[in-house]
Amino acid sequence: MKKWILFIFIFFSALITTGCGKPFLSTLQPAGEVAEKQYNLFLLSFSVMAIVILVVVTIYVIVLVRFRRKKGDENKIPKQVAGSHKLEVIWTAIPILIIIGLSIPTVYLTFYFGDVKGMERVDEQGDPKHLVVNVRANLYWWEFEYPDLGIITSQDLVVPTGERIYFNLKASDVKHSFWVPSIGGKMDTNTDNLNTFYLEFDPEKSDEAGNIFYGKCAELCGPSHAYMDFKVKAISRDEFDRWVLAMQKNEEPELASELAVKGKQLFEENDQFSCISCHATTARDDRPEATRLGPNLADFGNRTRVAGYLEFTKENIKNWIQHPEEYKPGNLMYEKADFTDEELEALAEYLMSLKVQE
Amino acid sequence: MSSIAEKRSVGAVLWEYLTTVDHKKIAHLYLFGGGFFFLLGGIEALLIRIQLLKPQFGFMSEETFNEMFTMHGTTMIFLAAMPLLFALMNAVVPLQIGARDVAFPFLNSLGFWLFFFGGVFLNLAWIFGDAPDAGWTSYASLSLFSEGHGIDYYTLGLQISGFGTLISGINFLVTIINMRAPGMTFMRMPMLTWTTFIASSLILFAFPPLTASIFFLMFDRLFTTNFFDVTAGGNTIIWEHFFWIFGHPEVYILILPSFGIFSEIISTFSRKRLFGYSSMVFATILIGFLGFMVWAHHMFTTGLGNVANAIFAVATMAIAVPTGIKIFNWLLTMWGGSIKITVPMLYALGFIPSFVIGGVTGVMQGIAPLDYQLHDTYFIVAHFHYVIVGGVVFALLAGAHFYWPKMFGTMLSERLGYITFVLFFIGFHLTFFIQHFLGLWGMPRRVATFLSGQGLDMGNFISSIGAFMMGIAIVIMLVNIVITTVKNQKVGNDPWEDGRTMEWALESPPVYYNFKQTPFVRGIDTYWIEKMEGNKGLTPAEPLDDIHMPNNTIMPVIISLGLFIAAFGMMYNPMNQVGDGKPWAIPVLIIGLCITFGTMLIRSIKDDHGYHIPKEELMNDKHKGGIAS
Amino acid sequence: MMAEEKYTPQTWPADPEKQTLEGRNKFIGFWLFLGGETVLFASLFATYLALKNKGTHVTTNELFSLPLVFVMTMLLLTSSLTSVYAIYHMKNFHFKKMQFWFFITVLLGATFLALEIYEFYHYVHEFDFGFTSSAFSGAYYTLVGTHGAHVLFGLGWITALIIRNAKRGLSLYNAPKYYVASLYWHFIDVVWVFIFTVVYLLGKVG
């Protein structure tokens, strides 16, 4: 049975050589208060459990070395022991103590993470003290609404670092789950009720990770569950405020090229689909959420990804507009379109110019 | 009705199996049926791992992938693991308690056929196009959203096979309560019998919530009710609760009998009685009881609130205590023993460390605030495969090797068994150990593919390689079974030589009435006691007399077939959500139900007193039936 | 064989349902089955309470009329009592009287079922409160309807027993059958008491 230990060992060495996760995604490289505390809890429980495994394996190895049936002992009948009261008390009591020990941080942190009273807090002027984001999960895209700032964005969540941000989570079609692994644990977005929790982004760790974190949908939601990624841009408070101001202007940027103008026309009116009826192109969208059927495109030009996971290139935008079903099967936009190359070019040009700031 | 083994035509053998009410034959049926679905689920698993071999592989479409893992999970839990356990329980438990059959032989057969037809119905989904694709948990918002009839195959198929499971559970309970031989007190029962008893009570109390919630889902999809439709006042969280009120005990329904199998194997091959028998019994009961108190740990991220999360977290961790007791008892059973390494014992030895790893990761996930990170990632996939494969599948493979002689009268090749074990064991750890890290590195579960550049490539590749090793191991085991069956070398009563419980006092396989005279039980490990006193068989508790036996009957097949037919009518009824109602649906539904209830009526009206084997015939029978004389 | 012996009221055992192994198996098996049924109904009750008055245009208060339900309750309670009489006579080997009281039980049960069907019909036509109207209506009909289906099954079962055994009298073979049928009937009755309280009474108060 030493084989077994050997293999575990080989595994560990294999892990080290293959590089352990990425700083923008791994829960083992936490970049915020919540993930940090969860990581510490992981280390604590992992160490305790490693000791448990060690104890078991030690006894196990001794047993196997000492008590194998040897040549000449084929007819030996070992003593038939019924049990040992003392031993049984020991191995009942010690696990109970371990469990009690682990229960203390468990219960404490459950309440600590579950404390969302900060959401309601206001300063002297009656303005909310903390940033609140309403997350609405849809098949297969994310909407991020900043209710106190009056702006909406999609797919790329933009947050300031170094402060607690509170989230209201819900889903508009089927259940999803909102998860930014390196920032903190997940919370489901239910169709029935609003869930609330908070996250915090560490400024230094965010810089190290390149200020972009990967977010995932963690609850099976259909064929494109795997592609329901989003990104979080974690930037300094100043930068964030500038972005908010730019978003709040609520107007489309000047279109520089003839092509983009044509794209805008196509976006608003073409023979196949009415893009504008689902997608807003400015950050203030006063329609009720049930009618906001597609992602808000106000700051589309600054997006990190197309369709949540494809590299942000003009080619990908064109492909996505023409064949969404190929990239996200089961998405609710349309299966495929029949735009000409020029039309696609124009639409992509227009979309890429939708930037609230450079 | 003679037991004389004569060459019979294939048709006669088939008819015998269709109509049998003998627990030993039903055990064979469960083994073949469950084994078939196990292979099916295994192929699905391999296809899953091929798709995840490298980033954005495109081996299959995302829709197919979702169907694949849904069917893999559903098949493995409901149609493979549970029936295979039932196979071993059926084969062994009546023998262990000194009974001639289970309490309700008819219901035993009915339970099997319901399971079988339910499983076939579920898998017909592959043939008719839409397989269920909302995960084995089938969470309500997604399962209502799912297109086609996939989910309907899931609800109807599981409903039918669920009835079968419930019936079998009750049957085992009554058998163990009522059919024990004289002297076989509860505290003398072998561990496999004890764990069967507790697992059966879990079945009794866990399946009705599943039945209820599957009805809700079925009504919502087939009759447009609104249980889970939020816009009409429904609530999808109800499904989550009911599913896990069933789903968590289900885990213990699988693992407790596995513990029982390992308890038998470890004490047999250590040549020592089980260490701390009463604390083992106590731990089993406690695990069963706590199993009902912890379902919400599957829902820590659902948003049940801090108080609920905290309570369920602590309750979950508490289960580690009785489980730990068991682990140490097994170790101490081996301590001071005379350990013989055989294939079943190898699985038991492989099980202990594997299951401990699965157990401790379970505790880690019980820590609610940590679970927010681990939930629905590959970490949980790794965890439950460590307990289900490292616990249940190891137990099934161990049990298959261990009880094969008792079920079929032949010994599986030890050499091929070793190869199977080594490949399976290494493959298993290769597949699942790395998945803990994949989860920690941010890979959610149930993703049809993953993107490169996220540090997940190597881990997934390793995992897929391991899966194939397990696949090869199973193929070798099948070869082993074929070779053994062809060779057909019969073995004696106690082929492992260290058998302790009563089944090893009987012929391999036992004669159809099991015990010629009901045995008298004088303590734990009945047969061991007799052996130590130099007896060749069991002590009879009664003089030789006529034996009462039940008649064979085809009715269980017909009853199950009726429900199978009715399910098609139900699925295509004009009100169904898919909107492809057929005019023949309602008549078919009615015909199917008439077949089922009509057969039940005939069964209750027609007296069936069974038959008697006369004393004279028994006296001349060359079979010893477990008794020394 | 014991089950086929001829009995007189003097030799007839006090607990005929537990004389044979089959009888004892049935007895325990049926109790266990009722345990499972209890969990099933508990699930249905829980769902009903969770979905009570959800998404509906009529609330429990407007919907239910207690006099009708009270009559139904009385019918079912009485039928439970008559089945006790029947079992009493079974234990005393009074076959004819047992059959009679079981017959009365079936009559009362059938009346109950007829009233329940009328009640449902009334809700659908007067209040437009159908199975698919709302989450509440679905939960209500599933709970009460499952109980109704149990009543229907019980009626069929006891009727079949009465007819099947009419000519051949009581034996240790069929005594356990009568016994578990009456157990089942009591169970149905107990469930109804809970339905009456949780659905109807609390529906009026709440």
Side-chain angles (χ1 to χ4, degrees):
Chain A
M1 277 304 96
K2 283 186 195 130
K3 247 182 293 172
W4 175 77
I5 299 161
L6 191 70
F7 268 100
I8 297 293
F9 189 76
I10 292 169
F11 266 127
F12 271 112
S13 18
L15 293 184
I16 293 158
T17 49
T18 51
C20 310
K22 301 287 181 203
F24 49 79
L25 183 63
S26 173
T27 63
L28 300 179
Q29 284 153 281
E33 189 210 358
V34 177
E36 185 82 46
K37 287 202 158 64
Q38 286 163 339
Y39 179 61
N40 291 339
L41 203 49
F42 170 76
L43 288 183
L44 171 74
S45 57
F46 182 76
S47 325
V48 174
M49 294 309 154
I51 295 169
V52 172
I53 292 176
L54 199 69
V55 172
V56 171
V57 168
T58 310
I59 303 175
Y60 179 85
V61 171
I62 296 173
V63 165
L64 282 184
V65 171
R66 278 185 55 191
F67 300 108
R68 295 272 294 276
R69 194 172 299 177
K70 300 181 185 68
K71 276 242 156 60
D73 281 351
E74 278 83 3
N75 295 319
K76 199 185 112 195
I77 303 296
K79 193 166 163 248
Q80 303 290 308
V81 187
S84 156
H85 196 67
K86 200 195 287 172
L87 279 176
E88 285 165 43
V89 168
I90 291 174
W91 66 55
T92 311
I94 293 177
I96 289 179
L97 291 177
I98 293 176
I99 298 301
I100 291 174
L102 282 176
S103 298
I104 295 164
T106 301
V107 173
Y108 172 74
L109 282 178
T110 303
F111 282 89
Y112 185 82
F113 292 145
D115 176 13
V116 287
K117 286 200 284 288
M119 212 169 212
E120 316 287 326
R121 260 174 226 140
V122 287
D123 60 15
E124 296 84 40
Q125 283 92 43
D127 292 329
K129 259 186 151 174
H130 294 283
L131 181 64
V132 176
V133 181
N134 293 345
V135 176
R136 192 163 65 96
N138 308 272
L139 289 165
Y140 304 97
W141 56 278
W142 299 85
E143 181 183 84
F144 306 109
E145 180 184 10
Y146 301 74
D148 302 320
L149 307 173
I151 55 174
I152 294 174
T153 186
S154 298
Q155 298 295 52
D156 284 9
L157 170 64
V158 182
V159 290
T161 55
E163 59 183 273
R164 267 193 196 179
I165 301 144
Y166 289 84
F167 293 89
N168 286 314
L169 307 159
K170 71 167 168 183
S172 43
D173 30 49
V174 305
K175 185 183 173 96
H176 305 272
S177 190
F178 178 81
W179 187 33
V180 191
S182 45
I183 304 302
K186 63 192 71 63
M187 189 81 167
D188 293 354
T189 60
N190 294 332
T191 51
D192 314 83
N193 64 306
L194 209 60
N195 276 337
T196 46
F197 81 149
Y198 65 82
L199 294 172
E200 189 179 330
F201 294 73
D202 184 87
E204 281 158 34
K205 296 272 177 54
S206 297
D207 285 341
E208 283 165 32
N211 293 89
I212 301 280
F213 291 100
Y214 282 39
K216 301 253 173 199
C217 171
E219 181 69 54
L220 175 65
C221 53
S224 289
H225 168 52
Y227 306 124
M228 198 174 152
D229 287 6
F230 60 95
K231 301 287 173 289
V232 189
K233 284 185 202 169
I235 49 182
S236 71
R237 186 73 210 192
D238 288 349
E239 272 180 272
F240 178 75
D241 287 339
R242 281 201 294 278
W243 176 77
V244 169
L245 276 177
M247 289 287 275
Q248 281 172 334
K249 268 193 278 174
N250 197 34
E251 55 197 31
E252 286 186 29
E254 295 264 323
L255 297 176
S257 68
E258 204 46 37
L259 198 58
V261 175
K262 186 166 172 261
K264 183 176 163 67
Q265 281 165 0
L266 280 169
F267 188 86
E268 281 159 12
E269 204 173 342
N270 65 65
D271 301 338
Q272 300 177 43
F273 305 102
S274 170
C275 310
I276 193 82
S277 66
C278 295
H279 296 282
T281 51
T282 53
R284 280 184 193 273
D285 190 348
D286 298 328
R287 294 176 299 170
E289 60 186 28
T291 58
R292 304 200 293 256
L293 296 175
N296 184 300
L297 301 176
D299 201 14
F300 184 85
N302 285 322
R303 287 267 187 90
T304 52
R305 290 288 189 282
V306 178
Y309 77 101
L310 300 166
E311 208 185 324
F312 192 82
T313 62
K314 198 168 198 178
E315 206 48 41
N316 276 338
I317 296 173
K318 283 156 68 180
N319 287 341
W320 166 245
I321 294 173
Q322 192 79 308
H323 306 288
E325 184 69 14
E326 274 179 29
Y327 294 94
K328 276 191 171 176
N331 80 83
L332 302 180
M333 186 152 80
Y334 45 73
E335 256 184 46
K336 67 184 181 67
D338 201 14
F339 292 111
T340 63
D341 277 348
E342 289 118 64
E343 286 174 327
L344 282 176
E345 189 73 26
L347 279 167
E349 180 72 24
Y350 167 61
L351 289 174
M352 287 180 84
S353 62
L354 285 173
K355 293 181 182 177
V356 296
Q357 56 182 177
E358 280 308 316
Chain B
M1 268 312 234
S2 159
S3 68
I4 299 160
E6 54 200 52
K7 265 271 184 259
R8 286 178 304 172
S9 69
V10 178
V13 174
L14 195 66
W15 182 250
E16 169 68 23
Y17 272 104
L18 283 172
T19 58
T20 188
V21 292
D22 179 352
H23 72 96
K24 298 179 287 299
K25 291 232 168 65
I26 289 173
H28 292 175
L29 288 172
Y30 268 119
L31 191 70
F32 301 143
F36 170 73
F37 288 121
F38 179 73
L39 294 180
L40 212 58
I43 291 168
E44 283 153 7
L46 289 180
L47 295 173
I48 290 170
R49 280 321 316 174
I50 293 178
Q51 165 73 4
L52 294 176
L53 195 63
K54 55 180 195 176
Q56 291 190 281
F57 190 9
F59 175 72
M60 60 176 97
S61 74
E62 293 81 356
E63 288 92 339
T64 315
F65 183 86
N66 286 4
E67 294 174 348
M68 205 57 80
F69 71 71
T70 300
M71 288 298 281
H72 166 69
T74 315
T75 304
M76 284 302 196
I77 297 280
F78 290 98
L79 309 180
M82 249 192 321
L84 288 172
L85 285 170
F86 278 154
L88 297 175
M89 287 148 123
N90 257 308
V92 180
V93 168
L95 308 180
Q96 281 196 332
I97 59 173
R100 296 217 168 88
D101 206 327
V102 291
F104 306 109
F106 179 89
L107 291 185
N108 202 13
S109 164
L110 180 60
F112 168 78
W113 288 108
L114 283 171
F115 140 69
F116 181 76
F117 278 106
V120 169
F121 185 85
L122 176 58
N123 275 283
L124 282 179
W126 284 123
I127 297 169
F128 295 131
D130 298 300
D133 57 358
W136 85 286
T137 52
S138 209
Y139 271 16
S141 58
L142 182 60
S143 54
L144 286 187
F145 221 80
S146 170
E147 287 167 14
H149 277 299
I151 304 295
D152 303 327
Y153 282 103
Y154 172 94
T155 55
L156 293 163
L158 286 192
Q159 198 71 285
I160 296 173
S161 73
F163 287 138
T165 310
L166 184 66
I167 287 172
S168 306
I170 294 177
N171 200 353
F172 278 119
L173 283 172
V174 180
T175 305
I176 294 170
I177 294 171
N178 257 7
M179 310 281 282
R180 282 167 293 126
M184 177 60 86
T185 60
F186 270 96
M187 289 314 276
R188 284 177 181 172
M189 292 196 315
M191 271 322 283
L192 178 55
T193 302
W194 253 115
T195 50
T196 300
F197 185 67
I198 301 300
S200 300
S201 18
L202 295 189
I203 288 175
L204 178 62
F205 294 117
F207 268 73
L210 179 73
T211 306
S213 55
I214 286 189
F215 265 125
F216 300 153
L217 184 55
M218 192 176 88
F219 287 155
D220 269 11
R221 285 188 55 98
L222 296 178
F223 300 104
T224 61
T225 56
N226 312 293
F227 289 99
F228 306 122
D229 182 355
V230 177
T231 52
N235 187 317
T236 61
I237 310 297
I238 292 176
W239 170 271
E240 291 184 31
H241 277 295
F242 278 136
F243 188 85
W244 290 118
I245 287 173
F246 149 77
H248 199 78
E250 169 69 17
V251 177
Y252 295 103
I253 292 169
L254 297 178
I255 201 67
L256 288 178
S258 309
F259 287 170
I261 292 168
F262 283 128
S263 300
E264 304 291 349
I265 289 173
I266 288 173
S267 82
T268 300
F269 294 109
S270 303
R271 220 177 243 178
K272 230 173 124 243
R273 68 176 277 180
L274 196 63
F275 189 90
Y277 171 85
S278 17
S279 68
M280 284 297 240
V281 170
F282 169 74
T284 308
I285 296 171
L286 197 61
I287 291 174
F289 180 74
L290 286 176
F292 278 101
M293 308 286 160
V294 298
W295 79 88
H297 68 212
H298 298 269
M299 301 162 65
F300 280 151
T301 65
T302 301
L304 300 178
N306 303 338
V307 178
N309 280 3
I311 291 172
F312 278 100
V314 176
T316 302
M317 287 190 272
I319 293 191
V321 177
T323 316
I325 293 176
K326 280 179 166 279
I327 297 280
F328 285 109
N329 275 330
W330 285 319
L331 289 173
L332 264 283
T333 304
M334 294 192 280
W335 189 283
S338 170
I339 299 170
K340 184 180 174 189
I341 305 287
T342 59
V343 173
M345 189 60 177
L346 266 183
Y347 281 106
L349 292 172
F351 152 79
I352 291 178
S354 310
F355 191 81
V356 170
I357 295 176
V360 297
T361 53
V363 176
M364 288 168 74
Q365 296 195 102
I367 301 173
L370 179 54
D371 183 67
Y372 299 159
Q373 281 288 24
L374 307 177
H375 177 76
D376 264 348
T377 69
Y378 260 79
F379 191 90
I380 186 73
V381 177
H383 158 72
F384 67 68
H385 281 97
Y386 259 83
V387 289
I388 299 283
V389 181
V392 182
V393 177
F394 276 22
L396 289 170
L397 296 175
H401 284 89
F402 188 52
Y403 290 117
W404 196 269
K406 202 41 72 185
M407 289 177 81
F408 297 99
T410 54
M411 285 284 261
L412 290 173
S413 151
E414 285 281 286
R415 179 190 296 269
L416 287 177
Y418 288 136
I419 299 173
T420 306
F421 170 78
V422 171
L423 277 177
F424 197 85
F425 185 80
I426 296 173
F428 159 68
H429 284 284
L430 209 52
T431 310
F432 296 112
F433 193 78
I434 190 76
Q435 290 186 357
H436 292 114
F437 289 90
L438 284 174
L440 291 168
W441 295 336
M443 182 167 170
R445 73 191 277 206
R446 292 168 167 173
V447 285
T449 189
F450 57 97
L451 303 177
S452 58
Q454 302 189 1
L456 306 172
D457 304 17
M458 189 49 124
N460 275 297
F461 183 74
I462 294 174
S463 186
S464 295
I465 299 298
F468 277 93
M469 288 180 72
M470 285 198 278
I472 295 167
I474 295 298
V475 171
I476 294 175
M477 180 168 165
L478 290 179
V479 171
N480 192 355
I481 289 172
V482 172
I483 292 177
T484 309
T485 312
V486 171
K487 272 192 191 159
N488 199 23
Q489 280 175 344
K490 294 292 176 193
V491 294
N493 293 3
D494 187 11
W496 300 107
E497 291 162 3
D498 290 320
R500 306 179 69 83
T501 40
M502 271 195 278
E503 70 269 30
W504 303 110
L506 298 171
E507 286 97 338
S508 307
V511 61
Y512 66 104
Y513 49 78
N514 295 351
F515 296 91
K516 196 174 273 185
Q517 288 159 275
T518 303
F520 182 69
V521 177
R522 291 183 291 156
I524 294 177
D525 296 338
T526 314
Y527 184 47
W528 180 261
I529 293 175
E530 302 287 353
K531 275 201 287 192
M532 286 302 105
E533 294 182 4
N535 299 335
K536 287 248 157 54
L538 303 168
T539 312
E542 53 170 23
L544 189 63
D545 202 354
D546 295 0
I547 293 177
H548 179 220
M549 297 296 290
N551 287 325
N552 281 6
T553 165
I554 190 69
M555 283 187 202
V557 178
I558 300 175
I559 292 176
S560 313
L561 183 68
L563 287 182
F564 178 79
I565 293 169
F568 283 102
M570 195 70 138
M571 189 157 66
Y572 286 104
N573 88 75
M575 287 173 82
N576 82 57
Q577 176 184 298
V578 180
D580 61 349
K582 300 277 193 299
W584 49 260
I586 298 296
V588 164
L589 174 65
I590 292 168
I591 291 169
L593 290 178
C594 282
I595 293 174
T596 297
F597 285 102
T599 318
M600 281 163 68
L601 186 68
I602 294 170
R603 164 77 186 168
S604 58
I605 285 176
K606 233 181 81 189
D607 285 356
D608 183 1
H609 290 290
Y611 67 98
H612 286 84
I613 313 168
K615 193 174 161 184
E616 295 70 35
E617 193 185 315
L618 286 170
M619 273 153 69
N620 299 328
D621 195 343
K622 65 179 166 41
H623 293 285
K624 287 207 164 58
I627 304 304
S629 56
Chain C
M1 192 62 201
M2 272 216 297
E4 287 142 21
E5 275 173 45
K6 287 283 165 237
Y7 284 96
T8 65
Q10 283 71 42
T11 60
W12 183 248
D15 46 358
E17 73 279 2
K18 285 192 255 183
Q19 288 304 307
T20 60
L21 179 62
E22 285 75 17
R24 286 192 296 276
N25 284 346
K26 274 208 177 86
F27 179 79
I28 292 185
F30 206 80
W31 268 108
L32 292 169
F33 169 72
L34 291 183
E37 288 265 80
T38 307
V39 184
L40 178 72
F41 275 104
S43 308
L44 297 180
F45 273 111
T47 309
Y48 173 80
L49 288 176
L51 298 179
K52 185 178 165 185
N53 289 337
K54 293 282 164 63
T56 181
H57 60 284
V58 251
T59 61
T60 51
N61 228 329
E62 299 151 5
L63 196 63
F64 302 141
S65 80
L66 281 186
L68 175 73
V69 183
F70 183 73
V71 171
M72 288 163 67
T73 308
M74 281 304 128
L75 282 171
L76 207 59
L77 283 179
T78 315
S79 79
S80 210
L81 182 69
T82 55
S83 80
V84 172
Y85 283 155
I87 291 302
Y88 170 79
H89 290 300
M90 181 190 90
K91 298 216 169 194
N92 288 317
F93 206 61
H94 288 151
F95 178 67
K96 288 269 155 58
K97 286 184 181 167
M98 178 191 82
Q99 291 279 79
F100 171 76
W101 283 113
F102 268 128
F103 179 68
I104 300 294
T105 306
V106 169
L107 278 188
L108 290 168
T111 322
F112 167 87
L113 202 60
L115 286 182
E116 183 156 84
I117 291 167
Y118 164 77
E119 186 199 2
F120 287 180
Y121 179 86
H122 178 72
Y123 293 159
V124 173
H125 288 264
E126 296 296 310
F127 295 95
D128 197 21
F129 184 76
F131 188 37
T132 61
S133 306
S134 62
F136 165 55
S137 73
Y140 167 80
Y141 283 114
T142 307
L143 171 60
V144 182
T146 305
H147 176 266
H150 276 71
V151 173
L152 182 66
F153 187 83
L155 289 178
W157 184 5
I158 297 176
T159 311
L161 276 178
I162 293 174
I163 296 171
R164 173 69 184 91
N165 294 306
K167 290 234 174 73
R168 61 177 183 175
L170 204 52
S171 70
L172 290 184
Y173 176 74
N174 58 24
K177 295 180 176 227
Y178 278 111
Y179 189 86
V180 293
S182 88
L183 264 187
Y184 182 76
W185 197 256
H186 287 309
F187 174 75
I188 291 171
D189 195 48
V190 171
V191 172
W192 181 260
V193 171
F194 279 94
I195 291 180
F196 181 66
T197 317
V198 173
V199 176
Y200 294 103
L201 285 184
L202 287 180
K204 275 301 188 188
V205 174

